[in-house]
């Protein structure tokens, strides 16, 4: 089996379209995960015991079950209850919700790592609770958890091929379609690996620079 460069050039546009869907699903899902993860964390700190326990069990259930069954449930079961979404929408939502439970633990650890003296100083200044969180606690917590949050972005990107299960036209789905059409799988599948490596390496470099920026400021 020989590598066909002409064929590779012909399929690149199809693969790049798939990569576009992969990046869209990853970035939008990551945005949901970052925001929702913080919401889970704050709810876990409320005085209401019932809310804390419900959030705890919900997040534990989501984190402890695989993403594939969650995708199937959202795409095939929810429509029977009248909740129907497009393939990409389901993929984005489930990536975001699934990873938000991991983000919640990251935030929890970052907040717990803020020195107790910072809390006490904020109280001594009689700052409102909102300002304590927004001006004192969360900025320090975010600096501590940026490396882990960045790692989850790359992990989510590498999990995006699971969206193939519900037919999202992401990168791996595009490669399979090309291979099924031409009966040649070497080039499309190899290019999938190359594109994933390139995007992951570039993302890692940018994240390291972001970490150094926050470390020096």
């Amino acid at each position: 089996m020989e590598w066909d460069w002409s064929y590779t050039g012909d399929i690149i546009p199809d693969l790049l379209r798939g990569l576009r869907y992969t990046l869209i699903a990853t970035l939008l899902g990551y945005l949901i995960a970052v925001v929702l993860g913080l919401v889970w964390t704050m709810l876990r700190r409320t005085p209401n015991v019932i809310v804390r326990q419900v959030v705890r069990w919900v997040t534990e259930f989501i984190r402890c079950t695989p993403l594939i069954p969650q995708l199937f449930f959202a795409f095939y079961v929810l429509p029977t209850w009248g909740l129907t979404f497009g393939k990409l929408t389901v993929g984005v939502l489930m990536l975001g919700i699934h990873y938000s439970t991991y983000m919640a633990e990251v935030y929890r650890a970052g907040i717990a790592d803020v020195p107790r003296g910072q809390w006490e100083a904020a109280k001594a200044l009689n700052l409102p609770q909102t300002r304590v969180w927004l001006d004192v606690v969360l900025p320090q917590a975010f600096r501590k958890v940026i490396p882990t949050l960045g790692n989850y972005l790359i992990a989510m990107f590498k999990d995006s091929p699971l969206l193939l299960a519900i037919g999202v036209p992401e990168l791996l789905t595009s490669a399979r379609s090309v291979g099924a059409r031409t009966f040649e799988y070497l080039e499309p599948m190899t290019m999938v690996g190359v594109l994933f490596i390139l995007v992951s390496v570039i993302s890692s470099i940018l994240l390291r620079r972001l970490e150094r920026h926050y470390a020096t400021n």
Side-chain angles (χ1 to χ4, degrees):
M1 184 177 294
E2 296 182 358
W3 186 271
D4 188 337
W5 287 105
S6 176
Y7 172 56
T8 302
D10 291 339
I11 67 175
I12 286 295
D14 291 322
L15 298 180
L16 291 179
R17 280 192 291 271
L19 178 62
R20 180 168 64 89
Y21 277 101
T22 294
L23 294 175
I24 290 172
T26 301
L27 294 176
L28 292 181
Y30 186 74
L31 180 61
I32 292 172
V34 167
V35 175
L36 186 56
L38 184 58
V39 172
W40 294 134
T41 302
M42 300 307 292
L43 290 176
R44 288 283 298 272
R45 299 180 65 90
T46 60
N48 190 308
V49 177
I50 295 177
V51 172
R52 289 205 310 269
Q53 290 301 317
V54 169
V55 171
R56 175 173 174 267
W57 286 107
V58 168
T59 54
E60 285 295 325
F61 176 80
I62 295 173
R63 188 167 61 249
C64 294
T65 53
L67 180 57
I68 285 285
Q70 294 172 11
L71 287 167
F72 281 163
F73 184 87
F75 191 70
Y76 293 109
V77 178
L78 290 185
T80 65
W81 297 345
L83 296 173
T84 303
F85 303 99
K87 296 175 182 178
L88 181 60
T89 301
V90 170
V92 167
L93 289 175
M94 296 317 298
L95 276 174
I97 293 172
H98 184 80
Y99 272 90
S100 71
T101 59
Y102 294 95
M103 301 288 194
E105 289 301 303
V106 173
Y107 288 133
R108 183 188 61 79
I111 292 170
D113 201 37
V114 174
R116 185 174 182 82
Q118 297 292 318
W119 296 86
E120 294 172 349
K123 290 181 180 179
L125 293 172
N126 200 27
L127 293 178
Q129 193 69 9
T130 303
R131 286 199 60 194
V132 172
W133 280 100
L134 295 180
D135 296 341
V136 179
V137 177
L138 290 181
Q140 295 184 64
F142 274 121
R143 286 191 181 91
K144 296 174 183 295
V145 302
I146 282 176
T148 308
L149 293 179
N151 289 338
Y152 278 124
L153 172 61
I154 296 174
M156 185 183 291
F157 174 67
K158 291 190 292 186
D159 269 353
S160 63
L162 296 176
L163 302 186
L164 174 150
I166 57 173
V168 176
E170 45 74 53
L171 182 55
L172 184 58
T173 303
S174 299
R176 285 189 60 189
S177 298
V178 168
R181 188 170 66 243
T182 61
F183 300 104
E184 295 182 37
Y185 287 92
L186 172 63
E187 291 84 356
M189 291 303 172
T190 302
M191 289 306 300
V192 167
V194 170
L195 289 172
F196 267 101
I197 290 172
L198 284 175
V199 174
S200 296
V201 169
I202 293 171
S203 300
S204 296
I205 293 172
L206 293 176
L207 288 169
R208 297 296 87 80
R209 289 183 178 178
L210 183 62
E211 291 171 25
R212 289 196 294 270
H213 171 75
Y214 276 99
T216 57
N217 287 283

